Amino acid sequence: MCCSAKVRLNAFPGTAFVGQVHLSTRLCVDIEVMSFISFVCFAASTAAAFVTAPLIEFLAALFLLFAYSTKFNERFKGFHWPLMDFLRCVSASIIFFIISIISVSKYVDGASKAAGVFGFITTIFFALDFYFIFNELADFLKGGDSSEEPPNTQDDDSDSDSD
């Protein structure tokens, strides 16, 4: 998720990151940098038709980062912002993977190959990001901490036929 640990804390009230920087904060910076590098490589290559995907992803991530940092997301309670970020990461991962395969296999210039390689690396970062977001969404929707013991469903007074 492209946001700081404080934003994660606001998005998922049941989680707390006290005294540590969440891995996703570092991952967000890596995604932004790799999206920009892919954009520059695609702009310099003969595969310039694919320049819009990294540019749109870069701008979408900046918008979400701006929305989270200015608490713009708190004004619109109808949107589930972490879910929107999850869907952005999934779609960006798929799109980056497809354009990277096409760029590496179809075009022969060095800038297209570099854009494809950076696109594959960005795909891995997006995949990690949506994996972390999915885990946090699943924990949040389950109702909090998954380390709690499940309640005992069997009564102590019940007769058991097992010997």
Side-chain angles (χ1 to χ4, degrees):
M1 181 182 272
C2 285
C3 55
S4 66
K6 183 178 178 184
V7 173
R8 289 271 184 151
L9 184 62
N10 291 339
F12 302 106
T15 60
F17 304 104
V18 178
Q20 62 182 351
V21 175
H22 196 268
L23 175 66
S24 186
T25 305
R26 169 76 180 172
L27 194 59
C28 175
V29 173
D30 293 341
I31 286 173
E32 291 294 323
V33 169
M34 293 306 290
S35 294
F36 184 73
I37 290 173
S38 296
F39 166 72
V40 170
C41 288
F42 276 119
S45 71
T46 57
F50 301 126
V51 77
T52 55
L55 180 63
I56 289 174
E57 173 49 41
F58 182 74
L59 294 176
L62 282 178
F63 168 73
L64 284 173
L65 182 63
F66 175 76
Y68 283 130
S69 64
T70 60
K71 299 191 189 289
F72 184 71
N73 59 334
E74 293 177 1
R75 294 183 197 158
F76 296 99
K77 299 290 184 186
F79 295 114
H80 196 310
W81 290 88
L83 183 61
M84 288 177 50
D85 202 13
F86 173 75
L87 292 175
R88 180 192 59 84
C89 286
V90 169
S91 62
S93 180
I94 292 169
I95 291 170
F96 264 96
F97 186 69
I98 291 170
I99 66 171
S100 296
I101 288 175
I102 294 171
S103 176
V104 168
S105 64
K106 187 175 178 184
Y107 297 95
V108 295
D109 63 320
S112 296
K113 302 285 185 193
V117 169
F118 284 118
F120 283 127
I121 295 169
T122 308
T123 300
I124 292 169
F125 287 150
F126 277 119
L128 285 172
D129 200 19
F130 77 71
Y131 173 75
F132 291 136
I133 293 171
F134 176 77
N135 284 339
E136 289 182 6
L137 277 174
D139 289 343
F140 179 71
L141 292 175
K142 277 194 273 185
D145 193 16
S146 62
S147 64
E148 298 175 2
E149 288 185 22
N152 190 1
T153 58
Q154 203 174 34
D155 292 339
D156 293 335
D157 298 338
S158 67
D159 293 337
S160 73
D161 293 335
S162 63
D163 291 324

